[in-house]
Amino acid sequence: MVGRVIGTDDATPLEFWVGVAPGCYLQLDDVVALERVLPSGDTVRIYGLVTQVRARQEGARFDSDVFLIAEGLLPAEVSEAALVQATRFEPEIFVPPRPGEPVRRAAGAERDQALFFDAMERRLPAGLSRDDEPLYINLEFLDGTRGAHVNISGISGVATKTTYATFLLYSVFSSGVLGAEAVNTKALIFNVKGEDLLFLDHPNIDLSDDQAARYAKAGLPVGAFGSVEVFAPPRRGDPSVRPDVASRTEGVTSFFWTLEEFCRGELLPFLFADAEDDRQQYTMVVFNVTARLADATPTGDGGVSVEGVPCRTFVDLVDAIAANVLSEDPLVADRWAGRAIGGGTVNAFIRRLYGAVPHVRDLVRGDVARPDRHTVRFEQQLTVVDLHNLNDRAKRFVVGVVLRKAFREKEQSGSARPLQFVLLDELNKYAPREGTSPIKEILLDVAERGRSLGIILLGAQQTASEVERRIVANSAIRVVGRLDAAEAGRGEYGFLPQVQRQRATILKPGTMLLNQPELPIPVVCQFPFPAWATRHREAGANPKATASVPSDPFEGLPT
């Protein structure tokens, strides 16, 4: 017993205060249990989570009395009490605990009952509690069975949003909760800042023994991701299209799209995918030109011929578009730009299109042999698409095109299994609350239909208040790291009790507030230091690169 329910404060089925017994203590996030016997003789087991703790001197009336009490001149007693928020009633008879009922700290099977872990048929390790006990997510609310998608909020660089998202992916792949299905489950990761996510297949040399032991407590092995393929944009102006990365020299493939893919795939709208474009009338011209480009004649080498004009580079294609849109022949101009389109609207479209040339000219081209070698594929378990060196406009283009490809492939497969995860940071940039864009429409489709298709979004952003509401609302699991005080007061965080909103402003890196449907209140969750490298200086040797090579190159071949 650690205390008793007190009678000086109201006890309700939602929350109650517990007086802490002498020589004992309760701290934030402790799990407690007690019973109440009903008049019928039935026993109701009540479980709860400590969300606030207070201490005061009983007998003191003024602030200065503390000095008299310390000198023994005034009698007083120190009392401690803990506010408990109820999490579960068994059976579900929602009655308040009676004052004086003994309260104990829950452990083992009782703790699992309090946090609904015993009712989870497939438990996904989501981290550890503050006392290093495992915490779980019900996989049914992640894989689409009863819900899907994860949304993570927090300050950039402090909340460790991307690190926690990769920890969840590592848990999905290595915990065994998916069984044999884990082999074919895949994840697409967009690396938007730095080169931190380019070494997921390298062990972390900074991992201490204490942190490695925490993986065992969570029921996870220690190691890096085993199947990773990294794609990066080509260096600017490099005819050999080498990947534009500095720290990783092996295992990186450059990517781009041919002019034929750009025209036949109707990729032009993704160049006009920000809020500014949504408010302009030249989007009408965009869709007219897109329809005309779909009829371009391929030349067989990745290039195209537009109205008889051969194009081998993106500049050639833009010049051909401009020549037709601004043609002095009214029939040609109407067919390309559209009827009754003013000259100002057409000129605005041309200015915007030429403005994209410096940022996209290396991503759309028809001057490289064997372009099929530079296509983003989803063959390995983890596909990392690096964007950090690209301009914002080019980032939107790549994210939109790759997302659409992943969504269409999953849609055409006709099966929700195996799962396809998508990890995208800076969600407020690609799916802002106001306006529409091709990328936002795809993300909304993923959020609303992805559950039935088996495509799961792990979205992260600094401010959930600036993200499209339907995307956040369709996320069954919400995770919050360190928040700015003004952001913590927004309505998007209404699922957090007031005390936890205050705690969110002082959370340390590696600590998150985890909310899932089965548990009525969020729990504080910690996760161990990554066992995979999160930056170049942490990267150990890649096991694939250091694999032993047989001395006889013909070893194993039939004689």
Side-chain angles (χ1 to χ4, degrees):
M1 188 186 74
V2 293
R4 294 181 182 273
V5 179
I6 64 176
T8 52
D9 283 280
D10 292 342
T12 70
L14 299 179
E15 63 180 28
F16 52 91
W17 284 90
V18 174
V20 181
C24 300
Y25 72 92
L26 282 173
Q27 62 174 332
L28 294 178
D29 311 318
D30 275 348
V31 183
V32 297
L34 68 152
E35 284 88 20
R36 173 177 174 176
V37 179
L38 301 178
S40 62
D42 297 330
T43 300
V44 178
R45 299 189 302 276
I46 303 173
Y47 303 96
L49 202 65
V50 176
T51 58
Q52 185 62 285
V53 183
R54 74 184 186 202
R56 62 185 179 187
Q57 288 179 326
E58 296 177 337
R61 298 179 57 193
F62 307 103
D63 293 344
S64 58
D65 287 349
V66 66
F67 301 103
L68 299 177
I69 295 171
E71 296 173 3
L73 301 178
L74 188 66
E77 291 288 339
V78 176
S79 68
E80 291 187 19
L83 177 62
V84 176
Q85 289 196 319
T87 58
R88 187 173 183 178
F89 288 75
E90 284 294 338
E92 287 192 345
I93 301 175
F94 297 101
V95 293
R98 296 177 63 85
E101 294 288 354
V103 178
R104 61 187 178 276
R105 185 180 282 108
E110 230 180 16
R111 175 181 175 273
D112 290 347
Q113 291 176 349
L115 300 178
F116 289 87
F117 295 157
D118 64 320
M120 298 180 183
E121 294 184 4
R122 295 188 296 167
R123 303 189 303 183
L124 175 70
L128 300 167
S129 64
R130 295 177 61 248
D131 52 358
D132 274 358
E133 292 290 332
L135 295 174
Y136 300 98
I137 287 174
N138 191 344
L139 188 68
E140 293 183 353
F141 288 102
L142 182 62
D143 68 356
T145 304
R146 297 164 63 186
H149 313 309
V150 180
N151 187 265
I152 309 174
S153 304
I155 298 174
S156 178
V158 180
T160 56
K161 305 183 297 294
T162 307
T163 308
Y164 185 68
T166 53
F167 174 80
L168 281 182
L169 288 177
Y170 181 76
S171 181
V172 167
F173 293 140
S174 60
S175 64
V177 67
L178 288 178
E181 187 184 330
V183 176
N184 296 318
T185 300
K186 293 180 172 59
L188 168 63
I189 300 178
F190 291 99
N191 179 52
V192 297
K193 290 179 289 191
E195 299 188 358
D196 296 348
L197 297 179
L198 304 188
F199 299 94
L200 296 177
D201 52 347
H202 292 65
N204 194 326
I205 59 176
D206 289 347
L207 184 69
S208 65
D209 293 339
D210 292 341
Q211 290 295 324
R214 300 186 75 194
Y215 280 88
K217 293 179 180 178
L220 297 172
V222 179
F225 290 88
S227 177
V228 178
E229 190 167 13
V230 180
F231 293 91
R235 297 180 185 271
R236 293 188 178 183
D238 186 356
S240 61
V241 292
R242 290 174 298 172
D244 189 12
V245 293
S247 57
R248 178 161 181 164
T249 58
E250 293 182 338
V252 182
T253 305
S254 62
F255 67 86
F256 61 83
W257 289 268
T258 64
L259 295 177
E260 180 182 350
E261 292 171 332
F262 183 84
C263 295
R264 291 293 179 90
E266 301 183 349
L267 305 187
L268 180 64
F270 291 105
L271 290 179
F272 301 83
D274 58 17
E276 179 184 347
D277 294 311
D278 176 59
R279 295 188 292 266
Q280 304 298 327
Q281 293 186 358
Y282 55 67
T283 51
M284 296 184 292
V285 184
V286 172
F287 291 107
N288 284 328
V289 173
T290 300
R292 300 283 74 78
L293 290 179
D295 299 329
T297 304
T299 58
D301 53 0
V304 293
S305 176
V306 178
E307 301 289 355
V309 178
C311 303
R312 293 295 304 277
T313 67
F314 186 66
V315 177
D316 295 340
L317 182 64
V318 171
D319 289 341
I321 293 173
N324 287 281
V325 170
L326 299 174
S327 174
E328 295 181 358
D329 185 343
L331 294 178
V332 175
D334 287 350
R335 190 160 58 90
W336 276 80
R339 294 183 179 180
I341 300 296
T345 301
V346 173
N347 289 330
F349 163 76
I350 294 298
R351 287 195 304 270
R352 189 73 173 161
L353 184 60
Y354 272 106
V357 170
H359 310 300
V360 186
R361 63 191 307 167
D362 296 306
L363 296 175
V364 181
R365 55 205 302 167
D367 57 351
V368 178
R370 300 290 301 274
D372 55 297
R373 295 181 175 182
H374 302 274
T375 301
V376 177
R377 302 173 298 272
F378 312 121
E379 296 176 352
Q380 303 300 318
Q381 197 166 54
L382 249 66
T383 301
V384 180
V385 179
D386 181 41
L387 309 174
H388 80 282
N389 278 331
L390 294 178
N391 172 270
D392 276 352
R393 196 164 182 190
K395 284 183 179 179
R396 290 188 178 93
F397 175 77
V398 174
V399 169
V401 174
V402 175
L403 259 182
R404 190 183 70 170
K405 177 182 179 181
F407 188 78
R408 285 185 173 179
E409 286 186 4
K410 202 71 181 70
E411 198 172 28
Q412 292 169 1
S413 69
S415 174
R417 291 295 194 273
L419 297 174
Q420 168 77 59
F421 290 90
V422 175
L423 171 54
L424 178 61
D425 197 0
E426 298 182 353
L427 201 57
N428 52 304
K429 178 187 297 184
Y430 305 106
R433 175 154 297 189
E434 305 297 334
T436 61
S437 72
I439 305 175
K440 183 176 177 179
E441 294 303 316
I442 294 173
L443 288 170
L444 276 171
D445 219 5
V446 171
E448 295 175 344
R449 290 201 301 133
R451 171 186 168 188
S452 60
L453 298 175
I455 182 167
I456 311 299
L457 177 64
L458 276 66
Q461 67 282 321
Q462 295 187 43
T463 51
S465 59
E466 297 179 4
V467 178
E468 168 61 41
R469 288 185 179 91
R470 286 182 289 169
I471 293 179
V472 177
N474 277 285
S475 300
I477 297 169
R478 301 283 303 276
V479 183
V480 173
R482 176 81 167 266
L483 288 179
D484 175 76
E487 176 68 11
R490 302 289 184 114
E492 285 71 21
Y493 305 95
F495 63 93
L496 293 176
Q498 185 59 37
V499 173
Q500 293 197 346
R501 289 197 190 199
Q502 296 173 357
R503 291 183 68 183
T505 62
I506 59 173
L507 289 176
K508 295 181 178 179
T511 302
M512 319 295 283
L513 296 173
L514 174 65
N515 184 65
Q516 59 177 319
E518 280 189 329
L519 200 59
I521 60 175
V523 296
V524 175
C525 173
Q526 297 180 342
F527 60 98
F529 194 73
W532 51 92
T534 58
R535 52 180 62 89
H536 178 54
R537 66 171 183 81
E538 296 175 351
N542 188 342
K544 291 183 179 179
T546 58
S548 59
V549 179
S551 55
D552 181 5
F554 300 103
E555 180 180 343
L557 294 177
T559 57

